[in-house]
Amino acid sequence: MEEDKEKLQFEALKKFFDNNMKIKEMILKIAPTEMDDYNEESRIEYTDKLDNVLKEIQNILLDTAKEFNFGEETEQIINENFEKRREALAISNYEPGLIQKIYDKQISSMNEKFVEEVKDECVGYILLDTQTLDSLISKSGSVNEILHTMHSYIVNNEEIMQTMPVLAKKTNELEEQIMLYGEETEISRKIFDDFPVKLDCGPTDIISMQDKILMMVRDRGHALTLDIDTTNEKSFIKYFIPKICNLEMVEKLPGINKITKAGATGMFEISEEMLTQNLFDFISKVPTDSDIIREDEEKEENLTEDLEENLEQEEAKEEYIFEEDDAKELAMEQGKDGRRITKIQKLQQKIKETVQNTKQKLKSEKSKEIGENENDRTRDE
């Protein structure tokens, strides 16, 4: 019975990825052309075509909801959202440029704030419930946003991913499991076999399909997600890092795209011969919680920088540590070479003593503040 459930879930996942690509192609194909916007009649014909495409996409996503057993409420919300898309086609004035605006708003647009919210809600390895999915679909303002929501929910849902058929498993040196699910391919098996047990990471899932491999690696950027397209000789790897543990390290990752508070995305290409080597090198460079720079450590670094800067400033000012009385006395000694030299020597000694006292004072203050930080950290721990 459990094997049947695994098989059904895996078939649903494969079908969803096929449909995901199909819908994206439909979205591109239905984009209005100059001929569609030629006159009022062509614009009316275009909105009719767009309505048919909306119905087709709606039926595909309803099938997806049924296959993953999301429930009747999710199906109802999908229907309600697509009804809004079709209502926007009911216009009375087919003016030039209007169909492009309709297409942009109802079909292709991706609101940046909404994308960030989906990132925040659909994080890898969280036991997501359908209420999260329903809420996000309700907020989706375009077909693209609905599709993005369902994709993010499915690939980041631990419950769905762990019902996949198990092909192999092993543990790393931290005694965390490395799992291979799905249908075995030469590339997925190589990734599993070559996965270094010394790599510092948490539980890792590798979900294998024909021409596609999903990976989720815990404790790297909280829960690193990788989507590997192996259709061609070179593999395209899309990744999502939900937690920016160290901004400087993330900025250096290959193909890094946008970095926000909700995470970072990127994409890069790897040849088949170098796939596993470059893949594991990439994973090792995604920061972990241990790479987070603590606030007290930052303060200590700032204190050190301030100390060094102050010392440099004081040393630079050595030649100016003459008080007004010193200057007057030196001027009065003009012509009395011996006494003038003696005075200069005294002033030089005064300069050295002043600088040394300043250095000692700054170092003492620095040591005192670091000690206080250490005490605070000990109490916190």
Side-chain angles (χ1 to χ4, degrees):
M1 193 68 178
E2 188 66 30
E3 289 182 4
D4 291 339
K5 183 180 179 182
E6 289 179 356
K7 186 176 180 181
L8 287 172
Q9 286 280 67
F10 185 60
E11 291 302 319
L13 185 66
K14 288 197 296 180
K15 188 175 179 181
F16 171 73
F17 278 112
D18 288 339
N19 285 332
N20 183 57
M21 184 57 67
K22 181 180 178 181
I23 292 172
K24 288 179 178 178
E25 289 172 354
M26 291 167 69
I27 289 173
L28 290 174
K29 191 175 180 180
I30 198 61
T33 64
E34 290 184 7
M35 292 299 297
D36 291 322
D37 201 24
Y38 180 71
N39 57 28
E40 184 172 328
E41 183 180 354
S42 65
R43 292 171 205 136
I44 292 172
E45 288 178 0
Y46 174 79
T47 55
D48 289 340
K49 289 190 294 183
L50 193 56
D51 186 61
N52 291 331
V53 169
L54 282 170
K55 289 177 182 176
E56 189 174 353
I57 295 174
Q58 178 181 356
N59 289 331
I60 291 173
L61 295 181
L62 284 172
D63 286 343
T64 299
K66 287 185 174 71
E67 287 163 357
F68 282 103
N69 296 313
F70 290 154
E72 292 182 2
E73 189 168 347
T74 301
E75 294 172 31
Q76 182 181 342
I77 290 172
I78 291 172
N79 283 329
E80 289 173 354
N81 194 299
F82 272 87
E83 190 61 34
K84 292 179 185 177
R85 307 300 126 230
R86 286 204 296 277
E87 285 174 1
L89 304 181
I91 53 179
S92 56
N93 184 12
Y94 289 87
E95 60 186 24
L98 181 62
I99 59 172
Q100 183 66 55
K101 291 178 182 178
I102 291 174
Y103 172 82
D104 291 342
K105 185 174 182 180
Q106 306 300 329
I107 307 297
S108 67
S109 68
M110 290 284 283
N111 182 277
E112 188 173 331
K113 288 184 179 178
F114 178 75
V115 172
E116 292 302 307
E117 184 176 356
V118 173
K119 277 186 188 178
D120 196 40
E121 294 289 336
C122 298
V123 178
Y125 300 103
I126 288 179
L127 287 170
L128 300 169
D129 55 38
T130 52
Q131 289 183 345
T132 301
L133 176 63
D134 296 346
S135 174
L136 291 171
I137 292 176
S138 294
K139 296 176 184 178
S140 300
S142 71
V143 173
N144 237 347
E145 288 183 1
I146 299 171
L147 186 62
H148 176 70
T149 295
M150 295 190 72
H151 179 274
S152 298
Y153 178 85
I154 289 169
V155 300
N156 287 288
N157 192 310
E158 185 175 22
E159 187 175 353
I160 291 175
M161 288 304 169
Q162 291 191 347
T163 58
M164 301 294 107
V166 177
L167 298 175
K169 58 184 176 181
K170 64 182 180 182
T171 56
N172 61 19
E173 289 186 352
L174 299 175
E175 297 186 355
E176 303 285 8
Q177 284 197 328
I178 314 297
M179 305 288 294
L180 176 61
Y181 299 95
E183 54 189 7
E184 188 166 335
T185 64
E186 184 178 344
I187 295 177
S188 65
R189 171 55 74 168
K190 183 170 177 57
I191 290 174
F192 174 81
D193 289 341
D194 292 355
F195 199 101
V197 293
K198 292 184 178 181
L199 183 59
D200 178 14
C201 67
T204 298
D205 295 331
I206 305 168
I207 297 93
S208 174
M209 292 167 276
Q210 294 296 328
D211 301 327
K212 182 177 286 292
I213 299 168
L214 296 179
M215 290 182 65
M216 283 163 279
V217 186
R218 294 189 199 182
D219 301 337
R220 286 281 168 180
H222 176 64
L224 170 67
T225 303
L226 300 138
D227 184 333
I228 307 171
D229 186 336
T230 60
T231 307
N232 301 308
E233 290 183 5
K234 289 188 176 181
S235 297
F236 285 93
I237 299 181
K238 297 178 184 178
Y239 60 87
F240 170 49
I241 304 168
K243 182 179 179 182
I244 309 302
C245 299
N246 185 301
L247 179 60
E248 186 177 351
M249 291 177 68
V250 171
E251 287 176 334
K252 293 178 181 178
L253 294 173
I256 189 68
N257 190 8
K258 191 167 186 181
I259 303 173
T260 70
K261 290 181 180 179
T265 59
M267 184 181 79
F268 61 100
E269 188 180 56
I270 302 179
S271 65
E272 186 176 340
E273 307 84 62
M274 300 295 292
L275 177 59
T276 55
Q277 180 180 334
N278 289 354
L279 175 64
F280 301 134
D281 179 65
F282 167 78
I283 295 173
S284 70
K285 290 177 180 176
V286 176
T288 67
D289 283 351
S290 63
D291 295 307
I292 296 174
I293 299 177
R294 292 185 180 183
E295 187 177 346
D296 54 354
E297 289 174 345
E298 288 180 338
K299 286 181 180 178
E300 287 179 19
E301 288 180 4
N302 291 336
L303 280 170
T304 303
E305 290 174 2
D306 290 343
L307 173 62
E308 291 173 352
E309 184 179 349
N310 289 334
L311 289 175
E312 287 174 3
Q313 289 175 354
E314 291 301 329
E315 288 171 355
K317 287 194 277 185
E318 283 184 14
E319 59 183 297
Y320 301 112
I321 306 177
F322 287 81
E323 297 176 358
E324 185 178 357
D325 291 342
D326 295 327
K328 287 180 180 178
E329 189 173 350
L330 183 60
M332 292 175 65
E333 298 300 322
Q334 189 73 18
K336 302 176 181 178
D337 292 341
R339 293 176 63 185
R340 184 167 182 252
I341 291 170
T342 301
K343 179 62 179 174
I344 290 172
Q345 290 173 339
K346 288 180 179 179
L347 290 173
Q348 287 176 335
Q349 182 61 32
K350 185 176 182 179
I351 289 169
K352 290 179 181 179
E353 289 174 358
T354 302
V355 171
Q356 288 299 323
N357 289 338
T358 302
K359 288 181 178 180
Q360 190 63 38
K361 182 180 179 182
L362 289 169
K363 286 180 180 178
S364 177
E365 290 175 354
K366 160 82 165 57
S367 299
K368 181 180 178 183
E369 189 157 354
I370 289 176
E372 290 174 352
N373 287 338
E374 287 293 335
N375 291 336
D376 290 343
R377 187 188 306 173
T378 303
R379 284 196 295 271
D380 290 342
E381 293 173 350

